[in-house]
Amino acid sequence: MTFPFPETKTGLRFGLASLAVTGCLAALLAAGPVRAEDNPVLAKVNGVEIRQSDVALAEEELGPSLAQMDPATKKDNVLSFLIDLRIVAKAAEDKKVENSEDFKKRMAFTRSRLLMDSLLATEGKAATTDDAMKKVYEEASKQITGEQEVHARHILVETEDEAKAIKAELDKGGDFAELAKKKSKDPGASDGGDLGFFTKEQMVPEFSAVAFTLEPGKISDPVKSQFGWHIIKVEEKRSRKAPDFDQVRAQIETYVTRKAQAEYVGKLREAAKIERMDKPAETAAKPDAPKPETAPAKADAAKDSKMAPAKK
């Protein structure tokens, strides 16, 4: 099992699959108390206060629906939502909605979810010791050190004739980056065709076969792939190194937290008596706790959506 630390021009990623065992409230539940001076009253509804902490919680809950809003618009919309929420909730109380069976079931579910989130947040926080995180870092570092990486540029065009004409210009002393900006159809053309560093597996085979053969400073003949015709220039080669611990500390902390939570849930499942009435006995075995998976390393994050050279 490997846990790569792929390096990109825009940052470093710790390539670990998410273990989805907590709800979106876990981080909030793990937070400490908010001081009054940091938690001002933003509105009152029939005398009931709505504070900054209420807005922050609502923002977490509403999540993606607010993603495209600027901070001021987001805050205004959330506060308006909370005002409506208080008004309608009071009306529901007046109508005794909480006495309905449907409400009671939903309330019980919400309570259980909050209890789960709170406990798992505590378990995750307890697991993220410096020793535990450094152990994960050391194990992952061993897996990636020494692999070769290439830093290259490319120009992508539709036809072989176009590629040959560009190669002829380059042979006469043309500037690769400028020609890439003018002639390449790749979205990264504005960067002079710069692909950053990548490993062999990150590019389609036809591209990698040439890029990893060229010496630094050399330019390839036209190379055909499923995306068109490439002219490749290798800038640099190096042995891949793990990033510094501090650069990936946040990603490691997330991994250790989720792994601990998954293992905790797994232990509880093992100790519980679980009966699945919807499946035959032989297919209703207790599943293993979620395990971290290896995420494929990526080249420049800003280039991931390119037409070429794409990952396999």
Side-chain angles (χ1 to χ4, degrees):
M1 181 183 299
T2 61
F3 309 112
F5 297 87
E7 184 172 348
T8 71
K9 289 172 66 180
T10 56
L12 291 147
R13 299 181 185 173
F14 189 60
L16 299 168
S18 173
L19 303 178
V21 294
T22 61
C24 62
L25 293 177
L28 290 173
L29 293 167
V34 181
R35 295 181 301 173
E37 58 267 32
D38 297 329
N39 192 26
V41 176
L42 303 181
K44 290 184 180 181
V45 179
N46 297 323
V48 179
E49 296 176 346
I50 298 176
R51 292 182 173 270
Q52 179 60 47
S53 59
D54 299 316
V55 172
L57 177 60
E59 285 182 3
E60 290 289 332
E61 285 292 289
L62 297 172
S65 64
L66 305 171
Q68 303 303 316
M69 297 181 187
D70 62 81
T73 302
K74 181 189 297 186
K75 181 177 179 179
D76 185 66
N77 276 275
V78 172
L79 185 55
S80 294
F81 167 77
L82 287 174
I83 290 170
D84 291 341
L85 179 66
R86 293 288 168 86
I87 293 170
V88 177
K90 181 60 170 64
E93 289 176 351
D94 293 342
K95 291 179 178 293
K96 306 298 182 184
V97 171
E98 70 268 26
N99 293 333
S100 70
E101 289 302 315
D102 181 67
F103 180 86
K104 291 176 181 178
K105 287 179 181 179
R106 291 177 183 274
M107 191 67 178
F109 174 82
T110 300
R111 180 179 182 274
S112 294
R113 179 63 180 267
L114 289 172
L115 286 168
M116 179 186 76
D117 287 349
S118 182
L119 179 57
L120 290 179
T122 300
E123 291 294 325
K125 186 175 182 179
T128 53
T129 63
D130 284 343
D131 287 345
M133 291 191 290
K134 286 180 180 178
K135 181 178 180 181
V136 169
Y137 171 78
E138 290 168 2
E139 291 175 352
S141 297
K142 292 175 184 177
Q143 298 293 331
I144 68 174
T145 301
E147 184 179 10
Q148 190 177 52
E149 291 183 310
V150 165
H151 176 199
R153 297 177 183 270
H154 83 136
I155 299 172
L156 176 66
V157 292
E158 293 283 357
T159 68
E160 184 178 12
D161 288 342
E162 289 178 277
K164 287 181 176 179
I166 292 170
K167 180 62 163 61
E169 288 189 63
L170 291 167
D171 289 342
K172 293 177 182 178
D175 184 271
F176 195 100
E178 290 303 315
L179 283 171
K181 291 177 183 178
K182 294 176 182 177
K183 298 181 181 290
S184 181
K185 71 173 187 174
D186 189 273
S190 61
D191 290 335
D194 193 357
L195 296 167
F197 279 96
F198 53 87
T199 60
K200 187 174 293 185
E201 292 74 21
Q202 290 173 288
M203 301 296 175
V204 292
E206 303 91 340
F207 192 95
S208 286
V210 175
F212 280 80
T213 301
L214 285 174
E215 291 300 317
K218 299 297 183 180
I219 298 174
S220 74
D221 290 325
V223 177
K224 189 177 188 305
S225 79
Q226 67 201 73
F227 301 101
W229 289 84
H230 310 265
I231 303 293
I232 305 168
K233 180 182 180 181
V234 171
E235 300 282 3
E236 184 182 355
K237 291 184 177 181
R238 70 183 184 187
S239 292
R240 193 177 182 194
K241 296 180 180 178
D244 293 337
F245 175 79
D246 287 341
Q247 291 178 287
V248 290
R249 183 186 180 96
Q251 295 95 314
I252 295 173
E253 185 172 352
T254 297
Y255 167 72
V256 173
T257 296
R258 293 178 177 175
K259 182 173 182 290
Q261 291 167 340
E263 290 175 349
Y264 182 73
V265 172
K267 289 178 181 178
L268 291 178
R269 289 183 69 96
E270 287 297 323
K273 180 181 180 181
I274 301 172
E275 298 177 86
R276 290 288 298 268
M277 308 308 179
D278 61 329
K279 295 182 180 181
E282 62 272 15
T283 63
K286 298 174 184 175
D288 293 335
K291 297 178 181 178
E293 300 171 2
T294 301
K298 296 183 179 180
D300 189 344
K303 309 287 193 300
D304 281 349
S305 60
K306 285 184 174 187
M307 291 182 288
K311 296 178 291 180
K312 295 182 283 183

